[in-house]
């Protein structure tokens, strides 16, 4: 309960998760919810610098949350993202320097995030599509279709996702892999549709 006293007047937050623990990563949402609840209806998290640290990157073989998934989660919320290792020190100094500079910029701007500091270079729709594609159970699900859809429906769904996620147009982390998955899903489905 001691941490609840620190939410008020917060200027910066470090959210750290273990890249070897999906449960640790999934808990990030509950930490944000707790902070929002403690700040109350008049609290403003928009003017807080958030840094998400994907920690323990030195243990690559045990990694279950890849960089693009963590980066997508952070950047879709306007948060800074760093790959770190507390054990080896990788990324720690750079992360704290960036965190400190962002807080100084916040203070210099009257306690508000300077315009353009969020750095989001993709839309919520793109982020949601990437997450959905990652969690898809099959090619139908990947394209957002029910089994048995027509050739035209497959092509229409493909075109919509291709435009949304094309690597030349989408800078969201994981968009290139999602785009390739969509291409492969379309190809696989069209082979079986007469």
């Amino acid at each position: 309960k001691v941490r609840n006293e620190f939410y008020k007047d917060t200027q910066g937050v470090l959210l750290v998760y273990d890249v070897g623990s999906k449960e640790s990563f999934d808990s990030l949402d509950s930490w944000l919810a707790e902070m929002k609840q403690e700040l109350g209806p008049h609290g403003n998290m928009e003017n807080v610098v958030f840094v998400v640290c994907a920690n323990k990157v030195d243990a690559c073989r045990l990694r279950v949350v890849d960089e693009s998934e963590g980066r997508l989660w952070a950047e879709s919320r306007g948060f800074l993202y760093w790959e770190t290792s507390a054990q080896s020190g990788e990324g720690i100094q750079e992360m704290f320097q960036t965190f400190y500079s962002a807080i100084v910029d916040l203070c210099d701007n009257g306690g508000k995030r300077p315009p353009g500091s969020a750095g989001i270079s993709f839309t919520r729709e793109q982020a949601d599509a990437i997450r959905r594609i990652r969690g898809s159970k099959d090619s139908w699900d990947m394209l957002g279709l029910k089994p048995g859809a027509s050739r035209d429906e497959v092509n229409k769904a493909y075109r919509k996702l291709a435009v949304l996620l094309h690597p030349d147009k989408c800078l969201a982390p994981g968009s290139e892999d999602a785009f390739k998955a969509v291409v492969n899903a379309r190809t696989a489905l069209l082979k079986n549709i007469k």
Side-chain angles (χ1 to χ4, degrees):
K1 291 296 177 187
V2 171
R3 71 180 176 267
N4 298 347
E5 301 294 322
F6 293 101
Y7 288 128
K8 187 176 186 252
D9 300 324
T10 297
Q11 295 172 317
V13 173
L14 291 176
L15 292 168
V16 182
Y17 71 92
D18 175 350
V19 298
S21 168
K22 184 76 166 133
E23 181 181 310
S24 172
F25 176 72
D26 291 341
S27 294
L28 294 176
D29 285 317
S30 62
W31 286 107
L32 286 179
E34 178 182 291
M35 182 177 181
K36 189 171 188 159
Q37 180 180 343
E38 290 299 321
L39 290 175
H42 303 294
N44 187 357
M45 291 176 41
E46 293 300 312
N47 293 318
V48 175
V49 174
F50 285 89
V51 174
V52 177
C53 294
N55 195 37
K56 298 188 181 179
V57 296
D58 54 293
C60 293
R61 60 186 173 81
L62 303 175
R63 188 168 192 154
V64 295
V65 181
D66 67 21
E67 180 179 356
S68 66
E69 184 176 6
R71 187 174 294 281
L72 182 66
W73 187 92
E75 291 179 0
S76 67
R77 289 163 175 77
F79 301 169
L80 300 168
Y81 177 85
W82 286 91
E83 295 266 300
T84 62
S85 169
Q87 183 172 342
S88 71
E90 179 183 339
I92 300 292
Q93 183 175 349
E94 298 87 349
M95 180 274 299
F96 274 113
Q97 285 174 337
T98 301
F99 186 48
Y100 174 75
S101 295
I103 292 173
V104 168
D105 290 346
L106 178 91
C107 294
D108 287 347
N109 197 44
K112 298 189 184 308
R113 279 193 208 167
S117 66
I120 298 177
S121 55
F122 51 91
T123 66
R124 173 69 79 184
E125 184 183 12
Q126 289 170 322
D128 290 345
I130 293 167
R131 284 189 198 99
R132 186 178 56 73
I133 289 165
R134 273 196 176 132
S136 295
K137 60 184 184 299
D138 59 26
S139 295
W140 294 109
D141 193 30
M142 197 170 291
L143 292 178
L145 297 170
K146 300 236 184 274
S150 71
R151 221 175 165 74
D152 287 341
E153 291 169 320
V154 168
N155 284 324
K156 184 178 177 182
Y158 164 76
R159 278 192 297 276
K160 181 180 178 188
L161 288 169
V163 168
L164 188 67
L165 299 174
H166 194 280
D168 290 346
K169 304 280 187 231
C170 182
L171 300 175
S175 63
E176 190 171 335
D177 290 338
F179 179 77
K180 288 177 186 174
V182 166
V183 169
N184 292 337
R186 174 185 176 240
T187 304
L189 292 176
L190 291 178
K191 282 182 183 178
N192 297 319
I193 296 175
K194 304 216 184 235

